[in-house]
Structures are given as structure tokens and as C-alpha cells.
């Protein structure tokens, strides 16, 4: 079993929402924490979505979104970024941003690491393969500002850590999105071929002609089918079986054997929390998740030397703790979900925003 631990905020990323016409309205005012003066043109957006606005001359903002859960991000140059989990309309938020202490950000080098002067040429391919990915969609992605990346090598643990001095600008011409990714850190362990990364992403729709938009819509839908985002929405709606999903639980005394879960909505695994409009999932051991309505890409089978006769998508998941899932497929806490196999092959090039609707 190949594995790679990846934690995109994201993320991770349905069928139609139960009410397409219902909307959440998030309103607020962004102020300087010391002077209490309004911050004009501060960025306000929902992480891993295309939902974005800026504050007006009085520091006020208003943002509309579909039902579900989101991480609301407030950022302003020279100030510390703040994040808030939101899932319902509010009267008004008052957000105080403190000035950023740049001295803390500059303390990166330790006695156990060294800055790789020619880091992009030495380790850029590792970064791109494990952050952007190696799928056909990854071939359509371009990192526009690789100079923002700083690579550090740790000899004792044989790993690299990557930081960014500015948000990474990524064009995804397969989906028609431009991504702005504020990379917190990226770690790659050479001995185990394991990577993890963490950051905050914002999506922007590209402009295109009708033919390009049709191509983007096809590619997005193809990527959505069988994705983590698709799975979360199906679980939330209670349509796992009809949507083509099958779950099996690892045997307690035989880690190579999985038994099909006859009822994934059993309270041992699933609880619906009506007051918060979310579901809670937990599994005591690793689960195998199969999507029966789509064949894996030839590139995936070739990369991992899998038999060509495989006709279904199969992934494995470790749930370190319970997670809660919202209507739009957003779930928390993200670090509790660790994917293996097919889903671990999917990285930023194949991740769709939470406001995507097929």
C-alpha cells in the first residue's frame, strides 16, 4: 500500500444543496487593534472558495455564501491574519487585527537546518509533485512565483521544509481557476516518501470564452466525481449507496482484511447534530472507501504499478479523531483525516472549492 499524508486545507473539497436559494450573510467591521480605526480594503474571503470581498471606506464588509461551513479569513498587509469558523448568518462581527511582528517570522533557520541556496533547482520537483500533484490536471497547472519559496534541509531527519515569503500564485488551466495559496509550511520526508503541507487557499475564476468554460465545467465535474468533497456531501445527504459509495472497516486483528459496513449511518459511526446542521463521523480503525461509478485514471495505475483491470476507485482513510461535516462538504478538524491510495494521489491540481456545484 502506497501512502502519502497530505493536509491541504482543504482541504480536502456535491450534489445540489438541499436549498439552492438559501444563503448565509456574513457581515462585519475590521479595525486596527490599537487605534480602533477602520482598515480599508482588507481582504475578506472564505478559505478554499471563490467567495471574496474587501472592506469599504468604513471598514465594513458583507459576504453572501451558500449553506454549509466555512473558514472566514481576514487579512491585511502588515497585520496578522485571523480566521473564524462560520456556518450561519450573523448580525455583525467586529474584528480587531493586530500589527504583525516581522521579527518572529524571520526566525526560521535553526542549528539543525540549512537554507538551500539553489533550493528550487534542487528540490522544486519534489515540491511540485507532492503539492500540485502528478495527475493529468497537474500538467495544466503553473506556479507563477517559484521565487517566493525558501527551502531548508534537515540532515538529521533527512527532510526538507519549504516556506513562502508571499502567497503562491497558481494557474490551473484544467479547471479555469487561479489559486492564491498562503503556504504555512510544506514538509517532505525522503526516507518514508511522506509529505504534509498546510496553508490557506483562495480561488478566483479565470476569464474565458464559451468553449473554454465548457471544457472547465467538464474537467471540474470529472474531478468531483469520486473526490473527498463528493464523499462528504453524499454522507451528509444520506445518499452514499445511490451515489455509488461503499465503505469497509479494517478488521481489528487483521489489518489487511476489510469488512463491508452494512449501515454507515449506524450510531457507532454517524450522528446527525440537528441544532448545528452537521453530521459527526468516527471510525475505530482504518476504513476503505470505494467509488463504484468511475474507473481510476491510467496514469494512477501506471504510477503505482497497479493492474489495468481495476475498475473502481479505492482509497483508505485513518480518522485520528471525530470530524464534523457540513452541507457543502466542509469538515473539521482537517488534520484528523488522513488519506491513502487514490485520494492521496490527488493534490492541489485536483481540489475543487467548497462553493463548487456540479
Amino acid at each position: 500500500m502506497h501512502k502519502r499524508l497530505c493536509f491541504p486545507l482543504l482541504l480536502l473539497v456535491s450534489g445540489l444543496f438541499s436549498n439552492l436559494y438559501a444563503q448565509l450573510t456574513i457581515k462585519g467591521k475590521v479595525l486596527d487593534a490599537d487605534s480602533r480605526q477602520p482598515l480599508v480594503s482588507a481582504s475578506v474571503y472564505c478559505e478554499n472558495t471563490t467567495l471574496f470581498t474587501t472592506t469599504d471606506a468604513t471598514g465594513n464588509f458583507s459576504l453572501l455564501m451558500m449553506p454549509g461551513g466555512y473558514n472566514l479569513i481576514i487579512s491585511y498587509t502588515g497585520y496578522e491574519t485571523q480566521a473564524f469558523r462560520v456556518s450561519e448568518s450573523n448580525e455583525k462581527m467586529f474584528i480587531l487585527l493586530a500589527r504583525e511582528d516581522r521579527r518572529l517570522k524571520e526566525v526560521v533557520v535553526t542549528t539543525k537546518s540549512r537554507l538551500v541556496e539553489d533550493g528550487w533547482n534542487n528540490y522544486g520537483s519534489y515540491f511540485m509533485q507532492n503539492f500540485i500533484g502528478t495527475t493529468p490536471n497537474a500538467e495544466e497547472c503553473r506556479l507563477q512565483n517559484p521565487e517566493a519559496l525558501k527551502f531548508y534541509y534537515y540532515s538529521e531527519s533527512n527532510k526538507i521544509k519549504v516556506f513562502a515569503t508571499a502567497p503562491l500564485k497558481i494557474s490551473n488551466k484544467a479547471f479555469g481557476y487561479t489559486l492564491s495559496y498562503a503556504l504555512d509550511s510544506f514538509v517532505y520526508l525522503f526516507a518514508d516518501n511522506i509529505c504534509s503541507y498546510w496553508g490557506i487557499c483562495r480561488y478566483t475564476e479565470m476569464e474565458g470564452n464559451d468553449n473554454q468554460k465548457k471544457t472547465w465545467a467538464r474537467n471540474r465535474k470529472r474531478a468531483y466525481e469520486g473526490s473527498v468533497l463528493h464523499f462528504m456531501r453524499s454522507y451528509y445527504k444520506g445518499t452514499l449507496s445511490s451515489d455509488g459509495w461503499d465503505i469497509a472497516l479494517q478488521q481489528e486483528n487483521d489489518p489487511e482484511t476489510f469488512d463491508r459496513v452494512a449501515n454507515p449511518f449506524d450510531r457507532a459511526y454517524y450522528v446527525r447534530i440537528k441544532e448545528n446542521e452537521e453530521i459527526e463521523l468516527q471510525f475505530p480503525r482504518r476504513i476503505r472507501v470505494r467509488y463504484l461509478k468511475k474507473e481510476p485514471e491510467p496514469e494512477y495505475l501506471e504510477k503505482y504499478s497497479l493492474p489495468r483491470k481495476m475498475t473502481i476507485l479505492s482509497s483508505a482513510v485513518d480518522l485520528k479523531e471525530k470530524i464534523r461535516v457540513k452541507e457543502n462538504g466542509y469538515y473539521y478538524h482537517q488534520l484528523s483525516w488522513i488519506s491513502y491510495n487514490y485520494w492521496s494521489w490527488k493534490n492541489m491540481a485536483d481540489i475543487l472549492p467548497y462553493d463548487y456545484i456540479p
Side-chain angles (χ1 to χ4, degrees), residues 44-320:
V44 181
Y45 61 96
C46 290
E47 183 182 3
N48 293 337
T49 73
T50 62
L51 304 172
F52 172 80
T53 189
T54 57
T55 55
D56 62 18
T58 60
N60 290 305
F61 70 86
S62 179
L63 196 61
L64 296 178
M65 58 197 72
M66 300 303 295
Y70 303 88
N71 282 342
L72 184 70
I73 308 299
I74 316 293
S75 66
Y76 193 78
T77 303
Y79 287 74
E80 295 179 356
T81 298
Q82 289 199 33
F84 304 88
R85 187 182 303 129
V86 297
S87 59
E88 58 185 21
S89 298
N90 68 326
E91 292 185 3
K92 194 167 188 178
M93 304 172 65
F94 286 88
I95 301 160
L96 303 178
L97 292 189
R99 290 190 178 274
E100 188 175 64
D101 189 344
R102 294 188 175 276
R103 294 172 301 174
L104 297 178
K105 296 198 118 187
E106 291 170 357
V107 182
V108 175
V109 181
T110 70
T111 57
K112 296 182 180 180
S113 69
R114 64 176 176 84
L115 174 66
V116 181
E117 296 296 340
D118 199 13
W120 177 253
N121 288 332
N122 283 283
Y123 299 116
S125 61
Y126 289 100
F127 178 82
M128 292 296 288
Q129 290 170 14
N130 291 281
F131 178 68
I132 300 296
T134 59
T135 66
N137 290 327
E139 297 178 4
E140 298 295 318
C141 292
R142 296 291 180 271
L143 176 58
Q144 300 172 3
N145 58 338
E147 68 280 359
L149 295 172
K150 301 298 180 185
F151 294 79
Y152 293 85
Y153 179 70
Y154 293 71
S155 57
E156 289 187 3
S157 51
N158 192 23
K159 68 182 179 183
I160 57 169
K161 278 190 177 183
V162 186
F163 302 91
T165 58
L168 301 180
K169 303 300 181 183
I170 304 161
S171 60
N172 186 335
K173 295 184 178 180
F175 290 173
Y177 291 125
T178 299
L179 284 63
S180 176
Y181 194 97
L183 180 69
D184 184 69
S185 69
F186 170 98
V187 179
Y188 183 81
L189 302 174
F190 289 97
D192 301 314
N193 189 29
I194 293 177
C195 85
S196 64
Y197 54 87
W198 189 256
I200 300 172
C201 186
R202 178 166 67 87
Y203 290 75
T204 304
E205 293 271 4
M206 288 183 177
E207 295 184 0
N209 56 41
D210 289 342
N211 287 334
Q212 287 176 312
K213 290 179 180 179
K214 289 179 181 178
T215 298
W216 294 339
R218 285 195 303 270
N219 290 343
R220 292 175 186 180
K221 186 174 185 297
R222 189 180 302 118
Y224 172 76
E225 294 170 344
S227 66
V228 176
L229 182 62
H230 187 190
F231 175 75
M232 293 296 183
R233 290 176 175 177
S234 294
Y235 222 140
Y236 183 92
K237 292 187 301 175
T239 56
L240 284 172
S241 180
S242 60
D243 287 350
W245 296 101
D246 178 85
I247 301 176
L249 180 64
Q250 185 183 58
Q251 287 189 0
E252 188 171 4
N253 299 319
D254 184 1
E256 298 301 319
T257 302
F258 290 78
D259 295 323
R260 185 176 181 274
V261 176
N263 179 17
F265 301 99
D266 187 287
R267 287 188 64 85
Y269 317 118
Y270 165 95
V271 177
R272 178 166 288 276
I273 305 172
K274 293 183 178 180
E275 61 269 24
N276 294 333
E277 296 185 340
E278 60 191 16
I279 63 173
E280 184 177 80
L281 304 179
Q282 65 173 347
F283 291 93
R285 294 177 299 281
R286 178 170 296 182
I287 58 172
R288 184 194 65 202
V289 181
R290 300 191 302 171
Y291 182 63
L292 310 178
K293 293 186 176 182
K294 180 180 177 181
E295 295 185 0
E297 296 90 326
E299 293 84 357
Y300 170 70
L301 300 178
E302 181 179 354
K303 179 176 177 63
Y304 296 106
S305 302
L306 297 171
R308 294 282 182 178
K309 62 182 180 181
M310 287 186 64
T311 58
I312 57 176
L313 305 184
S314 182
S315 303
V317 175
D318 286 334
L319 265 185
K320 296 165 60 179

Side-chain angles (χ1 to χ4, degrees), residues 31-44:
L31 306 171
D32 181 289
D34 294 325
S35 68
R36 296 300 197 270
Q37 291 300 307
L39 295 178
V40 182
S41 296
S43 294
V44 181

Side-chain angles (χ1 to χ4, degrees), residues 316-343:
V317 175
D318 286 334
L319 265 185
K320 296 165 60 179
E321 296 178 327
K322 298 176 182 178
I323 62 169
R324 292 196 173 188
V325 183
K326 292 288 189 178
E327 183 176 356
N328 60 341
Y330 167 88
Y331 68 95
Y332 65 97
H333 297 282
Q334 304 274 326
L335 289 176
S336 295
W337 176 279
I338 302 175
S339 297
Y340 303 83
N341 302 106
Y342 183 77
W343 278 340

